[in-house]
Amino acid sequence: MTIQAVSLLNGIGTLISTMVPYSMMLLLGWTILLIFWFISGAPIGPDAFIKLPM
């Protein structure tokens, strides 16, 4: 079996099942970063705050 034959057998389902763990880790990482950002109270940018002033 050559590389081309193996590549032709892989479909969209194989691609999705391969990428799901990476997507979940990215989602977890960005969620942790967002939670840390809220807890620390760090501004998003110059003169911008996460919480609206009351």
Side-chain angles (χ1 to χ4, degrees):
M1 209 181 248
T2 65
I3 294 173
Q4 281 183 330
V6 172
S7 296
L8 292 175
L9 295 176
N10 294 338
I12 190 74
T14 304
L15 177 65
I16 291 173
S17 66
T18 302
M19 296 306 294
V20 164
Y22 296 105
S23 302
M24 291 296 125
M25 291 307 293
L26 278 171
L27 178 66
L28 180 67
W30 281 109
T31 303
I32 290 170
L33 181 65
L34 181 66
I35 290 170
F36 171 74
W37 208 285
F38 272 111
I39 291 172
S40 70
I44 296 172
D47 235 6
F49 299 97
I50 293 175
K51 296 178 180 159
L52 295 174
M54 293 289 205

